[in-house]
């Protein structure tokens, strides 16, 4: 009965404080329930954090996967994937903060458990697009894993700008900025020039 309330409250507290500084007492207070009621819904802080990340991460992965499963050129898939990624995280700002704060980032190993599996699935979607872009001569012929991780770092940097108040939460402005940076990072200059894409010199 209280599980959804506890998860929503925990997401807000973890976003504000980070995992280490958040307490179950603060989460219970945010939810307006007693500690006893909280512990009846979830076993502890570690499990609660994993449940928050797993729940929101599943929604995130589903939205992004649906967009990436459509037909289209590699550049259309990249654009659609970026727009889905940015849109979800800007609409769920608490999860965005957790995503950035707790190492859901490009260079760190995935966590164990369901949320780690979700992260690996998300990274795999992006890596598939990068490999296809290389195979089609659209992207630089570099190590795909390095390009994908560099692309994830670019997306993280732009999302930090959202947290800092840049772009005013305008999803299209954020997505366009991310795409310009990714085009410059991934695409061969002659491809950008030929297609008149943002990011061309």
């Amino acid at each position: 009965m209280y599980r959804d309330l506890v998860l929503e409250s925990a997401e807000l507290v973890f976003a504000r404080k980070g995992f280490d500084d958040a307490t179950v007492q603060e989460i219970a207070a945010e939810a307006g329930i007693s500690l006893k009621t909280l512990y009846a819904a979830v076993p502890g802080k570690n499990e609660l954090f994993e449940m928050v990340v797993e729940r929101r991460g599943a929604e995130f992965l589903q939205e992004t996967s649906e967009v990436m499963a459509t037909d289209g050129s590699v550049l259309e898939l990249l654009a659609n994937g970026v727009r889905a990624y940015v849109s979800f995280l800007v609409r769920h700002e608490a999860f965005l903060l957790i995503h950035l704060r707790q190492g859901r980032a490009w260079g760190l190993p995935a966590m164990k458990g369901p949320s780690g599996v979700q992260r690996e699935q998300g990274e795999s979607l992006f890596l598939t697009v990068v490999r296809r872009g290389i195979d089609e001569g659209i992207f630089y012929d570099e190590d795909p894993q390095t390009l994908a991780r560099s692309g994830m770092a670019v997306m993280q940097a732009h999302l930090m700008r959202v947290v800092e108040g840049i772009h005013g939460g305008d999803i299209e402005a954020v997505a366009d900025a991310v795409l310009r940076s990714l085009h410059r990072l991934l695409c061969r200059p002659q491809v950008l020039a030929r297609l008149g894409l943002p990011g061309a010199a």
Side-chain angles (χ1 to χ4, degrees):
M1 176 176 164
Y2 289 102
R3 185 182 173 101
D4 287 342
L5 174 64
V6 168
L7 290 177
E8 292 291 337
S9 300
E11 185 173 349
L12 294 173
V13 174
F14 286 133
R16 276 196 309 263
K17 305 286 291 274
F19 175 80
D20 290 335
D21 292 335
T23 67
V24 289
Q25 290 85 354
E26 289 171 304
I27 294 166
E30 180 76 31
I33 60 175
S34 69
L35 272 176
K36 182 178 178 181
T37 303
L38 184 143
Y39 280 118
V42 294
K45 180 177 156 181
N46 289 335
E47 295 84 359
L48 182 53
F49 182 76
E50 183 68 19
M51 289 164 65
V52 166
V53 173
E54 182 182 354
R55 181 180 76 149
R56 194 66 80 193
E59 295 171 14
F60 175 59
L61 188 59
Q62 180 177 346
E63 278 192 30
T64 308
S65 297
E66 286 172 2
V67 167
M68 300 298 283
T70 59
D71 291 330
S73 72
V74 70
L75 292 173
E76 289 169 336
L77 288 178
L78 178 67
N80 292 341
V82 164
R83 291 189 193 292
Y85 176 80
V86 167
S87 175
F88 186 91
L89 290 172
V90 171
R91 286 184 288 116
H92 298 92
E93 190 173 348
F95 184 67
L96 168 59
L97 288 168
I98 292 169
H99 178 78
L100 294 171
R101 190 188 291 270
Q102 297 298 331
R104 304 297 190 277
W106 57 273
L108 299 173
M111 294 173 59
K112 295 179 181 175
S115 64
V117 171
Q118 288 170 348
R119 180 179 152 199
E120 288 173 356
Q121 290 171 336
E123 289 174 357
S124 178
L125 287 172
F126 188 52
L127 185 57
T128 299
V129 172
V130 169
R131 285 189 171 125
R132 181 176 160 194
I134 292 169
D135 290 345
E136 293 179 8
I138 304 292
F139 297 165
Y140 287 105
D141 188 10
E142 302 286 343
D143 173 61
Q145 188 75 48
T146 301
L147 283 178
R149 286 184 174 173
S150 298
M152 287 184 272
V154 163
M155 290 187 275
Q156 297 283 322
H158 281 283
L159 289 169
M160 276 305 304
R161 302 295 280 164
V162 171
V163 171
E164 293 165 351
I166 308 302
H167 305 302
D170 182 336
I171 292 171
E172 285 302 312
V174 177
D176 288 344
V178 171
L179 280 170
R180 281 192 301 274
S181 294
L182 288 177
H183 287 156
R184 284 191 292 268
L185 171 73
L186 299 171
C187 295
R188 295 171 182 268
Q190 61 271 30
V191 171
L192 293 179
R194 186 180 77 236
L195 299 177
L197 290 171

